[in-house]
């Protein structure tokens, strides 16, 4: 059942003993939402605990500043920024019993008893700001830091096309509430491990161009990753955006070895090319500007196939 | 003479035949300010021309969309985002005769007849937005694109500590006026030439660590730059921010060979170290978090001197 902001606030006010679910491979938006809500509920004198199926990277530690550890048997389940219970890993069954979901994904499967959805919002944190305001919650520095993190990370720090005027208005309000934007943005967008620097160097070194420079490709092989200690899956995933940053490139490809003989291609494109079609032709999928597909073959064969399909797409678009 | 926004608007309304001066090594803020003002004045039926002592990089071409080329003898000189006429290169003498300056630099030398200064604003474009609003100018897509560019570039896309709630409010208003933020941010913050990618790869390759990993240093030598065709001084300058992005690094150093036997060190630091003191000890200067100095000696001697001074600073701060 879809509900509105005031109904979500009324639900939160009239229940207790909350288990808040945040999605696997946690990002700034699900964590910001979860910890902001947990902090707010505890301040209202309720018991609440925010949990995630995966380990939470240390750079998000500051979000827990306002949360106290509480042991209790939960009675009410709220999922935040979780479009599908498949995204809850080994907490999927708990997610299937969710009483309330607060989300912004158009792909939300409506698994929860009650769904507050704003699919045109850039972040779930933008929506949570409105829920907490409707609850009469005081947005202090700690909660503002949580919510700002989601607003900033889901928009690439206000860079992406999902940013709306309202996104900036909410950011302004969170700053007025004390959000410490400079250290947060440094931790989210600038900070890299020494390993990440080595990985970037390797990826830049192996950059290859095809199709008169309209295609750029980087490669991440298993032995490269094995040779670098302090990198995580976020670091590897971030390599996918590098080729498309290059002037003149319409199709950026990141080819990653998943296991010997299995390769995953991540595709990024300019507005002139729909890479979801290329991915679909190899059994993959995604969006027009970002898609992916897999290859079970040798590395050279995988490269040949994806490059040929990309060249065909460039020709069809009249680019080469 | 310092003036207020309404006085600046009244001055602009009551004069004609404008020469608008933008500073050398032009950035998004001076260009956004200059072209927004030029467009607005021409729409008011006045003659106006915006000029810069240096060539303007092509990525800013979209700013000129609303400007028509006009030949006339100028009667009124307005400098925008120009703190000091020294920043006007071979247009310095023209700048010394400026009738009006609109700026946000605390270091403004008050060279102009009239100065509209807002030193707590993150960008001159934020101030120009208020001036054009006071002028009754309609902020359409073209002007909004100019002003948004300055607001975004001077704040690292709302990342830096100079971003204020009001900065976000102005960004929201410019979006409502039609600012095309996604392609602008892509061009300003993402797009790199193939040469820039090669330069980054070389710089990441030669990254060195000192002081238990609290110091990181990159090197840009003349022969490296000479071997890469499509890079400019902005690309080289951007290397200075890379070492400080690394986890655990308190002092990031970029060592650049200016000519054989002359090296320029650019220093960046965490809030735990004041690098302006290190720079001053070698006859340089700057700010606490960003400073620079030069060395006339061999490369190895320059490295030894700056690393020793940096280690001393880390020891004084109790970090190592």
């Amino acid at each position: 059942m879809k509900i509105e902001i005031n109904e979500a606030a009324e639900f939160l006010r009239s229940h207790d003993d909350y288990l808040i679910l945040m999605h696997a491979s946690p990002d700034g938006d699900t964590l910001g939402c979860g910890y902001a809500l947990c902090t707010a509920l505890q301040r209202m004198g309720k018991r609440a605990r925010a949990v995630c199926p995966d380990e939470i990277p240390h750079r998000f530690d500051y979000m827990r500043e306002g949360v106290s550890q509480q042991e209790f048997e939960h009675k009410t389940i709220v999922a935040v920024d979780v479009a599908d219970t498949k995204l809850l890993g080994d907490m999927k069954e708990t997610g299937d019993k969710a009483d309330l979901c607060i989300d912004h994904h158009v792909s939300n499967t409506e698994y929860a008893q009650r769904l507050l959805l704003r699919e045109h919002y850039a972040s779930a944190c933008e929506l949570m700001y409105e829920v907490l305001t409707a609850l009469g919650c005081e947005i202090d520095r700690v909660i503002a830091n949580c919510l700002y993190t989601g607003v900033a990370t889901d928009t690439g720090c206000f860079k992406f096309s999902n940013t709306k005027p309202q996104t900036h208005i909410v950011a302004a309000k969170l700053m007025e509430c004390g959000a410490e934007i400079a250290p947060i943005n440094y931790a989210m967008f600038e900070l890299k491990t020494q390993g990440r620097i080595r990985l970037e160097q390797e990826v830049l070194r192996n950059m290859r161009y095809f199709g008169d420079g309209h295609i750029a490709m980087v490669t991440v092989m298993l032995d490269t990753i094995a040779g670098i200690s302090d990198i995580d899956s976020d670091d590897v995933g971030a390599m996918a955006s590098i080729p498309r940053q290059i002037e003149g490139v319409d199709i950026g490809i990141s080819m990653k070895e998943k296991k010997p003989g299995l390769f995953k291609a991540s595709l990024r494109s300019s507005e002139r090319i729909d890479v979801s079609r290329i991915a679909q032709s190899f059994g993959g999928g995604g969006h027009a500007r970002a898609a992916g597909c897999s290859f079970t073959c040798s590395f050279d064969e995988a490269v040949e196939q994806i490059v040929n399909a990309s060249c065909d797409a460039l020709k069809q678009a009249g680019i080469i």
Side-chain angles (χ1 to χ4, degrees), chain A residues 4-307:
Chain A
E4 287 306 307
I5 287 171
N6 283 331
E7 295 170 290
E10 185 48 40
F11 177 88
L12 292 166
R13 203 178 282 120
S14 57
H15 289 72
D16 201 348
D17 297 330
Y18 287 94
L19 183 72
I20 301 165
L21 301 177
M22 308 180 288
H23 66 68
S25 301
D27 59 14
D29 198 27
T30 199
L31 296 173
C33 238
Y35 287 122
L37 178 60
C38 191
T39 307
L41 290 170
Q42 289 187 353
R43 290 217 189 122
M44 291 165 74
K46 296 177 186 289
R47 281 182 291 262
R49 191 164 59 228
V51 296
C52 176
D54 287 339
E55 203 180 331
I56 297 168
H58 284 301
R59 67 177 181 280
F60 297 111
D61 282 352
Y62 64 91
M63 289 194 186
R64 274 176 276 199
E65 197 184 323
V67 173
S68 58
Q69 289 281 20
Q70 297 181 333
E71 288 305 315
F72 60 93
E73 201 154 315
H74 68 260
K75 291 191 195 127
T76 318
I77 301 172
V78 183
V80 291
D81 194 45
V82 180
D84 188 321
T85 54
K86 281 185 207 159
L87 303 169
L88 285 168
D90 58 15
M91 293 176 179
K92 184 187 178 307
E93 283 182 30
T94 311
D96 287 330
K97 288 177 268 177
D99 299 287
L100 171 63
C101 172
I102 298 174
D103 190 23
H104 72 123
H105 292 97
V106 66
S107 56
N108 191 290
T109 60
E110 305 194 23
Y111 58 88
Q113 286 280 316
R114 297 160 194 80
L115 170 62
L116 172 59
L117 183 70
R118 287 285 185 278
E119 61 266 46
H120 54 288
Y121 281 31
S123 62
C125 278
E126 203 176 313
L127 177 53
M128 185 58 77
Y129 171 80
E130 295 182 4
V131 172
L132 296 186
T133 302
L135 257 181
C137 162
E138 187 213 342
I139 313 279
D140 69 352
R141 179 184 60 84
V142 176
I143 293 177
N145 280 345
C146 290
L147 297 177
Y148 177 86
T149 303
V151 171
T153 53
D154 260 26
T155 58
C157 214
F158 312 96
K159 255 202 314 260
F160 302 152
S161 58
N162 62 353
T163 308
K164 301 284 183 302
Q166 182 62 15
T167 318
H168 280 294
I169 301 286
V170 171
K173 286 179 179 166
L174 292 172
M175 288 188 74
E176 278 160 4
C177 297
E180 293 155 303
I181 71 153
I184 290 172
N185 289 326
Y186 178 72
M188 296 298 132
F189 300 108
E190 305 274 330
L191 200 62
K192 299 173 178 179
T193 62
Q194 291 190 17
R196 165 70 174 261
I197 290 286
R198 284 173 57 204
L199 179 64
E200 285 191 14
Q201 192 260 322
E202 168 58 24
V203 155
L204 296 180
R205 192 192 60 72
N206 70 41
M207 180 84 67
R208 288 197 285 173
Y209 299 95
F210 304 94
D212 294 343
H214 292 283
I215 301 168
M217 179 190 287
V218 296
T219 307
V220 183
M221 302 299 265
L222 283 173
D223 61 354
T224 303
I225 297 174
I228 305 175
S229 55
D230 54 345
I231 50 171
D232 59 23
S233 59
D234 281 0
D235 291 317
V236 176
M239 301 302 103
S241 65
I242 293 177
R244 237 299 275 160
Q245 294 174 348
I246 301 168
E247 196 171 44
V249 169
D250 286 289
I251 304 176
I253 304 171
S254 164
M255 191 68 99
K256 191 186 158 200
E257 186 182 26
K258 302 291 283 183
K259 58 182 186 181
L262 177 63
F263 299 91
K264 166 92 194 294
S266 296
L267 310 172
R268 300 286 183 274
S269 66
S270 72
E271 66 289 343
R272 303 202 289 177
I273 297 283
D274 180 350
V275 279
S276 72
R277 291 191 185 187
I278 301 174
Q280 279 161 17
S281 73
F282 295 110
H287 306 280
R289 305 283 92 84
C293 52
S294 294
F295 296 90
T296 310
C297 57
S298 75
F299 177 68
D300 288 346
E301 285 165 342
V303 169
E304 192 183 339
Q305 290 186 56
I306 193 72
V307 168

